Amino acid sequence: GVEQRKKSADQSLVQHIPFRNVGPSVFGGRIVDLDVNPLDPSIFYAAYASAGLWKTENNGTSFSPLFEQEGVLTIGDIAVNWEQNTIWVGTGENNSSRSSYSGLGIYKSQDGGKTWEHKGLPESHHIGRIILHPTNPDILWVAVLGHLYSPNEERGVYKSIDGGDTWTHTLFVNPNAGAVDLLIDPDDPQKLFAATWQRERRSWNFVEAGEGSGIYRSEDGGDNWTLMTTQESAFPTGEGVGRIGLAMTKKEGKNILLASLDNYNRRAPEEKDKKEELTKDDLRTMDAAAFAKLDEKDLSAFLKGNRFPKKYDSETVFKMVKNGKIQPLALVEYLEDANSLLFDTPVIGAEVYRSNDEGKSWKKTHEGYLDDLFYSYGYYFGQIRVSPHNPEKIYILGVPVLRSDDGGATFVSINGDNVHVDHHALWLSPLRDEHIILGNDGGVNISYDDGEHWVKCNTPAVGQFYTVAVDNAEPYNIYGGLQDNGVWMGSSTYKASTYWHNSGHYPYKSINGGDGMQVAIDLRDNTTVYTGSQFGFYYRLNLAKEERDFITPKPDLGENKLRWNWQTPIHLSIHNQDILYMGSNKLHRSLKQGNDFKTISEDLTKGGRKGDVAYGTLTSIHESSMRFGLLYTGSDDGLIHVSQDGGITWEKITNGLPANLWVSRVQASAYEEGTVYASLNGYRWDDFNAYVYRSTDFGKNWTPIATDLPAEPVNVIKEDPVNENILYIGTDHGIYVSLNKGATTMRMGAELPAVPVHDLVVHPREKDLILATHGRSFYVADIAPLQELDEEVLAASLKMFSFESINYSSRWGDSFSKWRKPMEPKLTIPVFVKSSGLTKVNIKTDKGVLLTSMDRTLNAGLNYMDYDLSIDNFAAQKLERLLNEGEKDKDAHVKIKEKKNGKYYLYKGTYTIEVLKDGKTEKAELKIEGR
């Protein structure tokens, strides 16, 4: 896939289309590891889950990207040999989340990140830890977690003694248990400790624990391993043992091991006080006879406390149970959904254990439960640290970050008000106690007083967007939902700067919380917005009035529950923007802006599957812009349906398509009524091929298209709104375009990082392509020239495209102060050439007088030549004479003066730009306007 991607870029006619990042950056993205210079902690590396590796040399004030054009951008762990300037990157995030992308093994840089070399372990997929030998740079160990969605044998611990040229697989437990953490004794590098973790993720279920989870010790440099967490050790064993994190410290010369555990065993039932209020657990096993004996006040309090609709008062519910219409369990099922079960599952959760004898015996450090730290998703955490200055000071990372000053007996939260709540990386200074650097889903934070106060260090635009939408304001706004950072909106004119620290107004603003999901904007007013969070919690917002209304449809009490995808699809009808579609396992339609949803289909999935992840859900909805009521849906279990009559009847149209794959997008054509496009995604089956199809008969028959795409899962396909032959395709590693309806494709944006593109939209008025990346926030490109690439242009040897006029400024070349950079104009000249080679560019007056010439080397395809509108002194004098010809009033004469930056610039007027190549000349008019 990596080689195919490189070939697609090398042969692309559009790889030089410039993309600009339009943020945002204020919330940061998921940090997975930090590595800090031990002698100068103002220098450190920050590794992001899906945004690559970044380096700061000024204590987090700014960061530079170092790892963005390699095979993948996703990282699980890094290790740095600061003396030799060597960096190791273990690719593939280790948090096993819904968007934890697979890696390609391990990379090495011996020049501080300027160049990279792939060093093997391609089937590792997800790497938990890299440990370097403290004195021998050729020796290292890697904890390999393995595949996320399938079993594999290449899991466990690997060792290299030749700088990564070859590897020895020294620890293997079973095909579902990989290594997630490693420790080395710096005083005795023959002694290592490894944590293994058994987990099995599927689209419908996640088994977060298993018998393969445990702690191992090696006494011979990692060549052989012994399981230390046996039943005799007092550390938990068996099917409930989840992810384990390791830390080590010294006390009186002896090693002390600490381990955080995600204990997935269920809690023992608590004895209930008879006076306590009615709970879901009471109703879960209650029969109708016992229900009839409940006190009316208790039931009424239960219904009100859980916000049941008013129509379900105690009298009504008593009658429904008495008449056999519902069972008491229906009250529980009405409240429980995929979102609530993230928090309500009664697992033991986070625990901390300590060993004073190098893992032979263990003791839990605290009494009772560490509540509100892991909930039911401890797989997302698993890091523990111990202070190098005080062996009793322990930090554990979860939804908040906690600190213990008494060896783990008690903990306090050190989450600041400017600190995110999901934590994955923590560095503790060996030189200065209380100096700590924290990495989380909100970026990087630094504290110098042990978490009492924090500095936020988020300048890289590394947001993990799922979706993008635009309005029709001038300038238009961009909207998107992010992983764990809500829904944000901001102007398309955004330029990164820290000026907002002075103004107090960040250019983007948050409009919804949770995990941000899809957005639809009513373009009639640009202020009515539909959006929401995970598992179908959607709202209608009035941004002008700052109002919100919950709109998610719910079944009646006793009816089968609706299944909502993590990223629930919505679609606002282009025919009437009062009409909103929303997909659970069925399709729902509201004719009144979400106020009156009606279900217009039966189950459009395979019916769900037993497990703890919502499955059998709709993932994509689209209505044809050519005909109201021509509807398509796609599901996570591989089904596509069509309705040609507004939802009255439905037809399954998946014949000929690969089975069971996630339908990442279904898109009705805006040019041919019977044409529809579909992209399928095999990510959740560890299938990394690209699947894109087109049907010209409403889905009765499908033809594979874009078959030359690299082996990269596809997230989105959309038509261009101007050129019917152009398709845009976003994959897990970039953006591709087809100029011939999918017959062939080519990679766009050579300078774009190899980041997942989850969604895209073309602004019809501005002709901008906007990308929502899951790692690098939003990118925007002007695609007006691209939209003109028809057969005639593609056959031409040379073609110039029109460009907008420029407003003249007398400040060009000057600045308000000599201490500021001068104002520089910039004109971008788009040109298409059929073959690479030298090109001459002439700038002439409208009378044909030559002012300046430039030689440019262009590549085959679209090129964008920048010109700063400057001319030399001789040309300036010539232009001045021409502009003043016939003007008798000397006071009205134009004067072209040398500017402070030593340049002369074109004056107001009309000019001709000529491009000459291979004997052909193309011309375009340049207008410099102004009063």
Side-chain angles (χ1 to χ4, degrees):
V2 175
E3 292 302 317
Q4 291 173 314
R5 189 191 319 158
K6 185 177 183 301
K7 182 179 178 182
S8 180
D10 290 343
Q11 298 178 351
S12 175
L13 300 178
V14 296
Q15 65 171 320
H16 296 292
I17 291 180
F19 282 83
R20 58 187 174 93
N21 189 283
V22 292
S25 63
V26 66
F27 40 69
R30 187 159 71 245
I31 295 283
V32 293
D33 195 24
L34 299 162
D35 210 307
V36 183
N37 188 325
L39 301 179
D40 182 357
S42 69
I43 302 172
F44 62 87
Y45 296 95
Y48 288 84
S50 59
L53 180 67
W54 297 70
K55 183 181 183 181
T56 178
E57 296 181 336
N58 51 25
N59 205 36
T61 304
S62 64
F63 290 83
S64 300
L66 297 176
F67 187 84
E68 56 181 2
Q69 296 296 346
E70 307 313 310
V72 293
L73 228 65
T74 178
I75 297 178
D77 191 57
I78 61 173
V80 180
N81 184 321
W82 290 93
E83 292 182 356
Q84 294 199 338
N85 203 25
T86 299
I87 311 169
W88 294 86
V89 172
T91 62
E93 185 188 359
N94 60 43
N95 290 318
S96 300
S97 188
R98 292 170 181 81
S99 58
S100 293
Y101 286 96
S102 168
L104 287 174
I106 195 161
Y107 287 79
K108 179 182 181 180
S109 173
Q110 299 186 73
D111 53 14
K114 295 177 182 177
T115 60
W116 295 91
E117 181 183 4
H118 186 257
K119 302 301 287 187
L121 303 182
E123 289 300 319
S124 58
H125 280 211
H126 299 272
I127 287 178
R129 190 74 70 204
I130 303 170
I131 294 293
L132 306 182
H133 193 283
T135 58
N136 189 335
D138 288 330
I139 300 177
L140 68 156
W141 301 263
V142 179
V144 170
L145 195 49
H147 295 190
L148 180 55
Y149 284 96
S150 58
N152 72 305
E153 301 288 329
E154 298 88 348
R155 304 176 188 261
V157 176
Y158 285 80
K159 180 181 180 180
S160 175
I161 60 173
D162 53 14
D165 291 338
T166 60
W167 297 91
T168 303
H169 194 180
T170 65
L171 174 61
F172 174 75
V173 178
N174 69 55
N176 288 307
V180 69
D181 209 350
L182 276 173
L183 286 177
I184 189 170
D185 185 342
D187 298 329
D188 181 5
Q190 291 294 100
K191 191 176 294 181
L192 293 100
F193 300 87
T196 60
W197 176 26
Q198 179 164 328
R199 91 282 196 253
E200 301 171 49
R201 182 148 208 157
R202 302 294 182 267
S203 295
W204 57 90
N205 194 42
F206 190 9
V207 179
E208 298 92 335
E211 293 184 352
S213 302
I215 300 173
Y216 291 77
R217 187 177 73 192
S218 173
E219 301 282 350
D220 56 7
D223 292 334
N224 297 279
W225 298 87
T226 302
L227 177 65
M228 307 307 295
T229 49
T230 61
Q231 289 186 346
E232 295 76 21
S233 72
F235 195 92
T237 59
E239 294 183 356
V241 180
R243 182 171 177 173
I244 298 169
L246 298 175
M248 183 168 63
T249 187
K250 300 275 187 179
K251 188 173 184 179
E252 298 176 354
K254 293 184 179 179
N255 287 331
I256 298 174
L257 289 180
L258 291 155
S260 63
L261 169 66
D262 177 26
N263 193 330
Y264 226 74
N265 289 298
R266 294 312 192 248
R267 299 186 178 195
E270 298 180 6
E271 291 190 14
K272 185 173 178 293
D273 190 325
K274 294 181 180 179
K275 295 181 180 180
E276 283 187 16
E277 62 186 18
L278 186 65
T279 68
K280 288 192 300 182
D281 288 336
D282 296 327
L283 296 169
R284 201 179 299 276
T285 56
M286 189 179 291
D287 59 22
F291 187 85
K293 297 177 183 179
L294 289 176
D295 188 289
E296 187 276 336
K297 292 182 179 179
D298 290 340
L299 179 58
S300 180
F302 175 83
L303 296 172
K304 290 181 181 179
N306 287 282
R307 298 182 179 179
F308 275 75
K310 291 182 179 179
K311 65 181 179 179
Y312 297 125
D313 57 20
S314 57
E315 181 180 356
T316 301
V317 174
F318 271 128
K319 287 181 180 178
M320 293 176 75
V321 174
K322 182 178 180 180
N323 297 334
K325 189 174 181 180
I326 64 169
Q327 294 295 316
L329 179 61
L331 295 170
V332 180
E333 293 175 338
Y334 189 84
L335 295 174
E336 290 188 336
D337 52 40
N339 194 54
S340 67
L341 293 177
L342 286 174
F343 304 95
D344 293 347
T345 306
V347 297
I348 291 174
E351 293 184 316
V352 177
Y353 288 84
R354 177 185 180 117
S355 174
N356 294 325
D357 53 13
E358 298 189 335
K360 295 177 183 177
S361 62
W362 295 86
K363 183 178 180 181
K364 195 169 73 165
T365 65
H366 52 92
E367 300 292 332
Y369 301 116
L370 291 176
D371 285 326
D372 301 329
L373 181 65
F374 282 5
Y375 297 101
S376 67
Y377 47 98
Y379 64 86
Y380 193 52
F381 306 111
Q383 304 292 336
I384 182 170
R385 302 287 185 270
V386 58
S387 169
H389 305 279
N390 180 358
E392 303 303 315
K393 187 188 290 187
I394 300 168
Y395 305 78
I396 50 175
L397 280 60
V399 175
V401 56
L402 304 183
R403 188 190 75 224
S404 173
D405 296 322
D406 54 14
T410 61
F411 288 88
V412 296
S413 171
I414 56 172
N415 244 91
D417 56 9
N418 62 341
V419 178
H420 202 283
V421 291
D422 287 11
H423 302 282
H424 310 286
L426 181 66
W427 173 83
L428 308 175
S429 172
L431 303 176
R432 174 176 172 173
D433 193 15
E434 301 187 349
H435 177 197
I436 57 181
I437 305 178
L438 179 64
N440 49 56
D441 279 10
V444 177
N445 296 92
I446 301 176
S447 175
Y448 291 93
D449 54 13
D450 237 351
E452 294 297 319
H453 304 87
W454 294 92
V455 177
K456 200 171 187 69
C457 303
N458 287 351
T459 53
V462 291
Q464 293 180 306
F465 278 94
Y466 289 115
T467 62
V468 63
V470 293
D471 63 18
N472 268 338
E474 293 191 25
Y476 70 89
N477 295 298
I478 304 175
Y479 303 72
L482 301 112
Q483 188 274 333
D484 212 24
N485 279 297
V487 181
W488 289 68
M489 64 171 288
S491 175
S492 56
T493 61
Y494 170 93
K495 292 183 179 179
S497 80
T498 53
Y499 174 74
W500 67 276
H501 292 179
N502 278 336
S503 69
H505 299 284
Y506 188 68
Y508 280 79
K509 68 176 181 178
S510 172
I511 60 174
N512 200 68
D515 282 85
M517 295 300 160
Q518 296 195 6
V519 185
I521 304 106
D522 190 330
L523 300 179
R524 298 171 299 185
D525 62 12
N526 295 320
T527 193
T528 302
V529 177
Y530 302 87
T531 190
S533 55
Q534 65 270 24
F535 296 125
F537 278 72
Y538 274 69
Y539 300 85
R540 181 183 63 249
L541 311 179
N542 186 308
L543 299 180
K545 298 179 181 179
E546 296 186 345
E547 295 175 348
R548 71 175 50 228
D549 295 289
F550 183 70
I551 61 172
T552 302
K554 297 197 75 170
D556 287 334
L557 189 58
E559 292 183 347
N560 289 334
K561 290 184 66 61
L562 299 172
R563 297 187 300 274
W564 302 99
N565 192 267
W566 173 258
Q567 189 189 138
T568 294
I570 59 174
H571 180 72
L572 199 59
S573 176
I574 195 173
H575 303 284
N576 180 343
Q577 296 210 312
D578 286 339
I579 299 176
L580 178 69
Y581 299 95
M582 189 171 180
S584 57
N585 52 311
K586 304 176 181 181
L587 187 63
H588 314 275
R589 181 180 64 206
S590 169
L591 302 178
K592 297 180 180 178
Q593 298 183 310
N595 287 328
D596 61 342
F597 273 109
K598 178 182 178 182
T599 302
I600 61 170
S601 77
E602 296 300 319
D603 195 329
L604 297 175
T605 75
K606 294 180 180 178
R609 192 162 176 173
K610 186 177 180 181
D612 60 6
V613 179
Y615 187 69
T617 65
L618 295 185
T619 53
S620 183
I621 306 166
H622 199 234
E623 180 183 46
S624 170
S625 61
M626 303 188 73
R627 173 154 61 95
F628 174 75
L630 174 53
L631 299 165
Y632 294 90
T633 66
S635 69
D636 57 8
D637 53 9
L639 297 188
I640 301 176
H641 284 83
V642 62
S643 174
Q644 299 195 49
D645 52 17
I648 298 173
T649 60
W650 290 88
E651 179 185 1
K652 184 172 68 173
I653 53 170
T654 49
N655 290 337
L657 295 178
N660 302 318
L661 298 183
W662 191 286
V663 181
S664 57
R665 199 61 54 111
V666 58
Q667 195 80 13
S669 174
Y671 300 101
E672 300 169 350
E673 189 174 293
T675 296
V676 58
Y677 296 91
S679 59
L680 311 180
N681 189 304
Y683 162 83
R684 292 163 185 83
W685 295 90
D686 279 337
D687 179 349
F688 303 102
N689 293 301
Y691 298 98
V692 186
Y693 295 85
R694 179 179 63 237
S695 171
T696 57
D697 53 10
F698 301 96
K700 290 183 173 60
N701 298 280
W702 295 92
T703 301
I705 61 173
T707 54
D708 59 347
L709 280 173
E712 301 172 6
V714 177
N715 300 311
V716 58
I717 178 171
K718 285 192 177 181
E719 286 180 320
D720 184 85
V722 173
N723 187 329
E724 64 179 296
N725 293 313
I726 294 179
L727 297 172
Y728 303 100
I729 301 171
T731 75
D732 278 356
H733 299 291
I735 176 70
Y736 297 82
V737 66
S738 172
L739 304 178
N740 48 22
K741 294 186 177 181
T744 59
T745 65
M746 58 189 79
R747 185 172 172 84
M748 291 182 70
E751 295 182 0
L752 278 176
V755 64
V757 174
H758 265 231
D759 197 12
L760 61 88
V761 65
V762 176
H763 197 282
R765 184 188 70 222
E766 302 298 336
K767 298 185 177 182
D768 282 346
L769 171 64
I770 303 100
L771 307 181
T773 74
H774 200 76
R776 290 293 188 88
S777 292
F778 292 131
Y779 283 89
V780 174
D782 175 6
I783 55 166
L786 171 65
Q787 292 175 328
E788 294 186 43
L789 293 184
D790 55 20
E791 291 183 3
E792 182 180 348
V793 173
L794 292 171
S797 60
L798 174 65
K799 168 68 176 178
M800 284 188 71
F801 302 92
S802 61
F803 39 81
E804 293 184 356
S805 60
I806 287 182
N807 290 322
Y808 176 79
S809 174
S810 61
R811 292 167 47 206
W812 288 347
D814 294 339
S815 63
F816 290 116
S817 165
K818 69 176 183 179
W819 308 112
R820 296 196 177 196
K821 291 182 179 180
M823 179 181 178
E824 295 265 13
K826 177 183 172 183
L827 173 69
T828 299
I829 307 168
V831 179
F832 176 86
V833 294
K834 193 169 186 178
S835 60
S836 301
L838 189 64
T839 304
K840 181 174 286 294
V841 181
N842 293 328
I843 311 298
K844 296 182 176 181
T845 69
D846 58 345
K847 305 294 186 183
V849 177
L850 179 66
L851 296 175
T852 188
S853 292
M854 301 171 284
D855 289 332
R856 298 289 179 89
T857 300
L858 303 183
N859 298 295
L862 276 177
N863 293 263
Y864 295 80
M865 299 184 292
D866 289 334
Y867 170 47
D868 66 358
L869 304 186
S870 69
I871 53 179
D872 62 23
N873 182 22
F874 177 76
Q877 294 178 37
K878 185 192 304 184
L879 178 60
E880 186 176 296
R881 287 194 302 270
L882 293 171
L883 292 172
N884 292 322
E885 279 182 355
E887 180 59 63
K888 296 181 180 180
D889 185 357
K890 291 187 177 181
D891 291 336
H893 278 201
V894 172
K895 294 182 179 180
I896 302 179
K897 299 179 179 179
E898 183 181 11
K899 297 295 185 173
K900 290 181 179 179
N901 64 354
K903 294 182 179 180
Y904 299 84
Y905 291 96
L906 297 178
Y907 193 69
K908 289 177 286 186
T910 301
Y911 301 87
T912 298
I913 299 180
E914 289 182 345
V915 178
L916 300 83
K917 185 177 187 298
D918 299 332
K920 184 172 181 181
T921 302
E922 280 277 297
K923 299 179 181 180
E925 185 180 83
L926 166 64
K927 286 187 177 182
I928 301 178
E929 300 177 335
R931 291 185 238 177

